[in-house]
Amino acid sequence: MRSLLRFKQLQISTTDHIQGLRYSTSKLGFGIRSIVTSCRAVLLPRFGGADVLQVRDNVRVPDLKPNEVLVRARAVSINPLDTRMRAGYGRSLFESLLPLILGRDVSGEIAAVGDSVQTLKVGQEVFGALHPTAVRGTYADYAILSEDQLTQKPTTISHVEASAIPFAALTAWRALKSTARITKGQRVLVVGGGGAVGYSAVQLAVATGFAVSATCESESIDRLLAAGAEQALDYTSEDLEVTLKGQYNAVLDTIGIQQTEQMGINLLKRGGHYMTLQGESASLTDRYGLAIGLPTATAILLKKQMQYRFSHGIEYWWTYMRTDAEGLDEIRRLTEAGRLKVPVQKTFPITQVREAHDVKDKRIIPGKVVLEFD
């Protein structure tokens, strides 16, 4: 009987139901561990408009792998990838995996860590982003990311502000630092500098010592100049190839249409890098299936690379976000120093995710939109 009482004193189990959350905690000699088994999440059961999104309680939370971290989400941002995936972009990869949870960015607190996690602890405030192909996204009370996809959230910004940064900034980081590998003193042109990726690219380039020019809509000119761009030009009213001064070592094209591609390539120095966010891998795979679409996309990319290498002496790339622990740590340092931010134009509660997606679809709110968790 005494041993049974001692066991009950050592092990305490509780079960609560709060907004669809079921959890249990067990108290052992070395501390308290919380194991979340289900939570509220936004599900995408089929592709379509904003009305297909469903907020559901009791969505299963998978067990943590040794390198994974469970994050209690406080805010997640809406990226263009989210609305495109919801509408069917990437269906060749994701359709068989429906229902999906959308979302890439997250800011929140660590609720649990896997056995091999070394740099993060329960209770820490963190922010980070998932890879574009992740199936279980961040539109959930509890998100799961790997250790290298998260870093400590700066105390100088809120969860809402933090959630807007990592996916866009890591996309820009990969293009500038991993693909182009540009160095201090070189010249960079950002096409579409008013968007989250473009604005992040301008700030990252300026912080690293690059000379930066950008094209944008007229309302973004002052913001880009304040961020340190040498030139910020309205692409709707300028003859850009004449107005932009000099030639560039790298061009990051966030628009990726034929006109911007040709302009960017013509403005590059020999040996420079043209990088576009609008690669054709996903769209061609969706159209023709994996067996035909992926080889077709690869052939198109190789053809363009060879064409521009011989005609202009430049490198041509399709660029995407990828996990980069070093880049995320630098993004954190720059954010903490006030040198990197992505302005948030409007917030919605997670329960109004349909309304939030709808305003993005209709371009009612052109800037960054963030979903908050109560």
Side-chain angles (χ1 to χ4, degrees), residues 52-262:
V52 303
L53 296 172
Q54 299 178 1
V55 180
R56 293 188 191 173
D57 295 332
N58 296 319
V59 175
R60 181 179 173 272
V61 177
D63 294 335
L64 288 182
K65 296 176 182 176
N67 69 324
E68 289 182 334
V69 176
L70 185 70
V71 177
R72 174 64 169 99
R74 297 301 178 186
V76 298
S77 76
I78 297 178
N79 287 290
L81 180 62
D82 300 343
T83 56
R84 293 178 71 190
M85 282 179 62
R86 189 212 67 229
Y89 178 75
R91 69 170 61 242
S92 57
L93 179 63
F94 295 115
E95 191 159 28
S96 63
L97 302 172
L98 293 172
L100 301 177
I101 298 176
L102 298 176
R104 292 297 172 264
D105 290 311
V106 67
S107 183
E109 301 100 25
I110 295 177
V113 298
D115 292 338
S116 67
V117 173
Q118 300 292 321
T119 61
L120 301 171
K121 297 179 181 179
V122 172
Q124 229 175 354
E125 292 192 330
V126 292
F127 73 132
L130 288 164
H131 189 272
T133 58
V135 175
R136 190 184 193 279
T138 58
Y139 289 12
D141 282 323
Y142 286 88
I144 295 176
L145 296 89
S146 61
E147 182 178 15
D148 62 352
Q149 292 173 328
L150 291 164
T151 191
Q152 186 172 345
K153 181 186 80 67
T155 58
T156 53
I157 59 173
S158 67
H159 285 298
V160 166
E161 292 169 312
S163 72
I165 295 170
F167 191 83
L170 281 169
T171 303
W173 173 274
R174 181 184 182 187
L176 298 177
K177 296 299 188 74
S178 299
T179 302
R181 299 182 184 229
I182 55 178
T183 56
K184 186 175 181 179
Q186 292 186 321
R187 294 177 57 79
V188 177
L189 171 63
V190 178
V191 180
V197 174
Y199 188 52
S200 297
V202 169
Q203 293 172 93
L204 287 170
V206 169
T208 313
F210 307 147
V212 187
S213 298
T215 70
C216 59
E217 295 180 341
S218 57
E219 59 265 27
S220 297
I221 289 176
D222 290 341
R223 181 159 55 95
L224 288 167
L225 291 174
E230 291 186 343
Q231 287 181 291
L233 303 173
D234 184 348
Y235 61 80
T236 65
S237 60
E238 303 274 1
D239 185 353
L240 294 175
E241 286 193 46
V242 174
T243 310
L244 287 165
K245 299 173 182 176
Q247 289 187 306
Y248 297 88
N249 302 98
V251 172
L252 174 58
D253 186 354
T254 71
I255 309 298
I257 59 176
Q258 184 178 355
Q259 294 92 325
T260 58
E261 179 175 309
Q262 200 57 54

